[in-house]
Amino acid sequence: MTLRDIFQSISGNPGLLVLLLLLVLATTFLANLWSGQTAEEIWKWRYAYAVLVYLACIPGMFAVTLNIYLFLFERQSIWDMNLVIQLLPVLSMIGTLMLIRKKIPFSYVPGFGKLSGFLTLIFAVMGILWFIDRTHIYAITYIPFAYLAIGFVVLLLVIRFAWQRIF
C-alpha cells in the first residue's frame, strides 16, 4: 500500500478522518470546561493537554509538510487541493492550539517545545531540498560563493538548533 492509496481511500470515505479531527477539537473544548478555573486545577490537566496537542499537531504538521511538498516540488494547483487531507488537519490543529492557549500557556504543556523544534527542522530540511531542486549550475555562477557558504552555514545552524530543541 502506498501513500497515494491511503489518500485515495481517505478521499473516498472522509468521514472517519473528519470525525477524528473534530473529536480532538471537541475533547479540547470539554477539557477546557472541566479543567476548572484555578491554576492548581489547570496544572493537573497539563498532561491531558499534551496528549491533545500531539493528537492535533502531528496530523496538522504532516498536512503542512505535505502541502509544502505538493506546492513547491510537485507544482500542484491550489484548485486541486484535497480539503479533507490537506486543509482540515491544519484547521483542526490551529483550532485546538487556540483553545488550549486560552486555558494554559504552551510553556506548561510538556513536550510542546519539541514539536516546534521538529517543525523548524522539517522546514529547514524542506528549504534545503527546495534550494537544491531549483538550483542550476549556471545560476550558481552568478551568486558569489560567500553568499552560498553563509546561507549553507545558516541552514545548518537552524537544523542544529531545531535538533537540540527536539532532544
Side-chain angles (χ1 to χ4, degrees):
M1 179 174 267
T2 65
L3 216 56
R4 183 181 311 270
D5 294 337
I6 293 171
F7 290 159
Q8 287 174 349
S9 174
I10 292 172
S11 295
N13 188 12
L16 183 62
L17 179 64
V18 171
L19 178 69
L20 290 174
L21 293 174
L22 291 178
L23 188 64
V24 172
L25 269 171
T27 306
T28 304
F29 180 75
L30 291 175
N32 279 352
L33 289 178
W34 293 336
S35 63
Q37 298 298 324
T38 65
E40 293 83 21
E41 292 171 338
I42 295 171
W43 181 256
K44 293 176 186 176
W45 284 76
R46 69 186 184 278
Y47 291 109
Y49 283 124
V51 169
L52 290 170
V53 164
Y54 276 91
L55 285 175
C57 286
I58 290 174
M61 288 171 34
F62 178 75
V64 167
T65 306
L66 177 68
N67 288 334
I68 290 171
Y69 171 77
L70 289 175
F71 293 136
L72 288 181
F73 294 98
E74 296 288 326
R75 306 241 180 182
Q76 177 187 3
S77 172
I78 195 165
W79 301 112
D80 296 329
M81 187 175 190
N82 187 333
L83 296 178
V84 173
I85 295 175
Q86 292 178 254
L87 188 63
L88 189 61
V90 176
L91 294 177
S92 174
M93 177 180 69
I94 291 170
T96 302
L97 292 177
M98 286 175 58
L99 285 173
I100 290 173
R101 186 173 175 215
K102 286 182 180 181
K103 197 66 166 179
I104 186 172
F106 289 135
S107 59
Y108 294 155
V109 176
F112 188 78
K114 306 287 185 199
L115 282 176
S116 61
F118 183 61
L119 192 59
T120 305
L121 178 66
I122 288 173
F123 284 141
V125 169
M126 292 291 280
I128 290 171
L129 293 176
W130 181 79
F131 180 75
I132 291 170
D133 184 53
R134 297 295 180 239
T135 303
H136 301 286
I137 299 295
Y138 62 90
I140 291 178
T141 60
Y142 294 113
I143 300 171
F145 181 74
Y147 293 150
L148 289 175
I150 291 170
F152 183 70
V153 168
V154 167
L155 282 175
L156 287 177
L157 289 174
V158 167
I159 290 172
R160 180 167 169 80
F161 174 73
W163 189 261
Q164 286 176 348
R165 293 214 41 201
I166 289 173
F167 301 108

